Amino acid sequence: MGERDDPGTIGRRVQRLRTERGLTQRQLAEPVYTPAYISTLESGRVRPSDDALRHLAERLGVAFDELASGHSARLVTELRLRLTEAQRTLAVGEAEAAAEQYAGLLAEAETHGLAAEQAAALLGLGECALETGELPAGRRYFERAEACLAGAPLPARVPALRGRAVAHYLAGELRYAVHLLESTLDELNRGGLHDPDALLLLYASAIGPYMDMGAHARAAQAAEFALALAPQSGDPALVARMHRSVARTLVAEGRLAEADASLAKAAELYRGLQLRTELANCHWMRGYVYAQDGQLERAEEELRRALGMLSDKRAALYSSQVAVELADVLHRRGRSDEAAALLHDVLGHLSPERGAVHSAAAHRLLGIIAEDARRTEDAEEHYVRALSLLERAGAAGDLADLCRLLGDLLRRTGRVEAALDAYRTGLGHRTAPGTTTLGPAPAQPPL
């Protein structure tokens, strides 16, 4: 495992194990070492070499790793096996069951002082919280995971950073989410840390906030980078399951290092499966581009593909965003009743604290549908609700457009002063410093 406790801790451990086995210092030392050396070692006054530890481990009947670090190699490997099982549970959409698994694993990892395994369990709990919409809890889990990985290279910390950004985004804190994602991308690319998995996570996660802020060109570029970086695999779930099964066999045979390698492959594949949500965002982005270009049939196809990748059990907040976009396409294709039904279903899963921007988008489109059907009061009610949600989230581009829609409606119904107020509100958000600019784009990867 590469880690080793300080000489005092190792010395106390050797003395405890020797006493438990009823051995004298001479019996433990012979035939290679002296009783005086064992006495010095047990008092913590000498740092034992690897050869000395191997000799002592053999005489005491324990593994080298256990004597050096206090961690049983078997315990660590079995903990990692269960972490991959929790990843599999989350990957197939059972977020609540996965959260129970991760919570138990976190407690065990903390008991044994295993920092890497603690971080993995915290990341898993954070992902579960995102799936179920418990955003404050998810953000706290990601912050704790980041703290556990404080000394690790930046690519290793990317999942925790990305998790924090997504939690802020889904809570409606768009600018801060973009700041986290872009600053991490910039540091990776400028530092030459071109880790494909890390870059893919960040670019795919940036698409939603970019779109909601009106930065469509930057969103399109992020989508192209993400799709170019997406790993190609035939059936990653099947391969990961195979690696887990192999690992179990190897653990039973005592071949722990090989089992660990197999588990690492399985964990990597399950992480890839969690990218399914991110890749769905890329298809959503393509659908949006087709819709803007008037290719509505192709747009509907891409958006339905994105929704299909986000089952009802998973990613309720992500799928709501895609569903609103799909409803817009359906409305434009003359299927307004189908679009309205989809939007009302979306609103049943959202609240101002969970998906404010998506709720606003649904109300905005319901207002347009109501206005087309000459239901003016319903349209105004939806526009006003959307306005309140967008003001809270700071989605300036959408807010300005909504003020235009509301102002036009009020003007057509003879309320000129109210219409002017709505227009002025929209203009104020258009011109407020810092609301529509993002600053320089982050450095690009060498694709």
Side-chain angles (χ1 to χ4, degrees), residues 343-350:
L343 292 168
H344 284 298
D345 183 59
V346 164
L347 287 171
H349 299 290
L350 300 175

Side-chain angles (χ1 to χ4, degrees), residues 251-313:
V251 168
E253 294 176 359
R255 296 157 63 187
L256 301 181
E258 294 170 73
D260 232 17
S262 196
L263 288 174
K265 292 176 184 175
E268 183 178 352
L269 288 163
Y270 282 128
R271 279 195 296 274
L273 283 174
Q274 289 173 21
L275 288 172
R276 188 175 177 85
T277 299
E278 309 302 336
L279 292 176
N281 280 346
C282 296
H283 288 291
W284 160 67
M285 177 63 206
R286 278 186 167 167
Y288 174 85
V289 170
Y290 286 140
Q292 295 302 301
D293 196 38
Q295 301 180 59
L296 298 182
E297 186 174 348
R298 294 184 72 181
E300 182 178 346
E301 181 181 328
E302 286 287 344
L303 293 168
R304 288 198 183 279
R305 184 175 180 186
L307 266 182
M309 295 173 74
L310 303 167
S311 69
D312 290 339
K313 290 184 180 179

Side-chain angles (χ1 to χ4, degrees), residues 130-175:
L130 289 187
E131 298 292 347
T132 55
E134 299 168 86
L135 304 180
R139 189 165 59 246
R140 288 192 294 272
Y141 285 131
F142 288 124
E143 287 169 352
R144 289 173 61 190
E146 204 175 341
C148 283
L149 297 167
L154 180 57
R157 290 183 276 122
V158 161
L161 285 161
R162 170 259 175 198
R164 275 208 297 137
V166 172
H168 283 290
Y169 163 55
L170 294 175
E173 299 160 12
L174 308 182
R175 295 189 64 79

Side-chain angles (χ1 to χ4, degrees), residues 250 259 330 424 445:
L250 294 170
L330 293 173
R424 289 189 193 101

Side-chain angles (χ1 to χ4, degrees), residues 17-18 21 23-33 38 52-62 67:
L17 291 169
R18 177 179 64 77
R21 284 153 179 74
L23 298 174
T24 65
Q25 290 180 336
R26 180 178 299 279
Q27 289 170 323
L28 181 59
E30 292 179 341
V32 182
Y33 299 96
I38 300 300
L53 282 178
R54 289 191 184 94
H55 166 81
L56 297 173
E58 184 177 351
R59 300 286 288 171
L60 292 167
V62 297
L67 192 61

Side-chain angles (χ1 to χ4, degrees), residues 127-418:
E127 292 292 342
C128 291
L130 289 187
E131 298 292 347
T132 55
E134 299 168 86
L135 304 180
R139 189 165 59 246
R140 288 192 294 272
Y141 285 131
F142 288 124
E143 287 169 352
R144 289 173 61 190
E146 204 175 341
C148 283
L149 297 167
L154 180 57
R157 290 183 276 122
V158 161
L161 285 161
R162 170 259 175 198
R164 275 208 297 137
V166 172
H168 283 290
Y169 163 55
L170 294 175
E173 299 160 12
L174 308 182
R175 295 189 64 79
Y176 188 63
V178 168
H179 163 72
L180 284 174
L181 295 167
E182 287 197 337
S183 59
T184 308
L185 277 167
D186 201 53
E187 190 175 347
L188 282 171
N189 287 326
R190 290 190 188 282
L193 302 171
H194 303 302
D195 182 290
D197 287 342
L199 291 170
L200 173 56
L201 264 178
L202 293 168
Y203 279 120
S205 300
I207 293 169
Y210 280 152
M211 292 297 296
D212 289 343
M213 293 182 72
H216 297 156
R218 205 168 284 191
Q221 184 181 57
E224 290 308 314
F225 283 151
L227 290 169
L229 289 161
Q232 302 298 313
S233 62
D235 188 346
L238 183 63
V239 177
R241 190 159 57 247
M242 177 272 294
H243 281 300
R244 283 176 51 241
S245 300
V246 168
R248 284 187 179 282
T249 304
L250 294 170
V251 168
E253 294 176 359
R255 296 157 63 187
L256 301 181
E258 294 170 73
D260 232 17
S262 196
L263 288 174
K265 292 176 184 175
E268 183 178 352
L269 288 163
Y270 282 128
R271 279 195 296 274
L273 283 174
Q274 289 173 21
L275 288 172
R276 188 175 177 85
T277 299
E278 309 302 336
L279 292 176
N281 280 346
C282 296
H283 288 291
W284 160 67
M285 177 63 206
R286 278 186 167 167
Y288 174 85
V289 170
Y290 286 140
Q292 295 302 301
D293 196 38
Q295 301 180 59
L296 298 182
E297 186 174 348
R298 294 184 72 181
E300 182 178 346
E301 181 181 328
E302 286 287 344
L303 293 168
R304 288 198 183 279
R305 184 175 180 186
L307 266 182
M309 295 173 74
L310 303 167
S311 69
D312 290 339
K313 290 184 180 179
R314 299 187 71 234
L317 294 175
Y318 302 116
S319 58
S320 297
Q321 187 175 24
V322 180
V324 171
E325 201 69 54
L326 176 59
D328 181 57
V329 170
L330 293 173
H331 169 61
R332 291 167 63 186
R333 298 193 74 186
R335 291 146 63 188
S336 295
D337 289 345
E338 187 179 347
L342 184 58
L343 292 168
H344 284 298
D345 183 59
V346 164
L347 287 171
H349 299 290
L350 300 175
S351 70
E353 292 75 32
R354 295 178 62 244
V357 174
H358 312 143
S359 293
H363 280 298
R364 173 188 177 279
L365 186 50
L366 283 168
I368 291 172
I369 292 171
E371 197 170 353
D372 288 348
R374 302 185 184 282
R375 290 184 281 109
T376 305
E377 289 184 5
D378 289 346
E380 183 178 347
E381 182 181 345
H382 283 300
Y383 289 153
V384 169
R385 286 188 183 181
L387 191 65
S388 172
L389 290 163
L390 290 176
E391 284 182 324
R392 173 182 293 190
D398 289 344
L399 208 155
D401 177 65
L402 186 64
C403 288
R404 178 188 60 79
L405 287 171
L406 178 59
D408 289 350
L409 175 65
L410 293 169
R411 180 172 53 81
R412 280 195 295 271
T413 55
R415 288 170 286 172
V416 177
E417 286 300 321

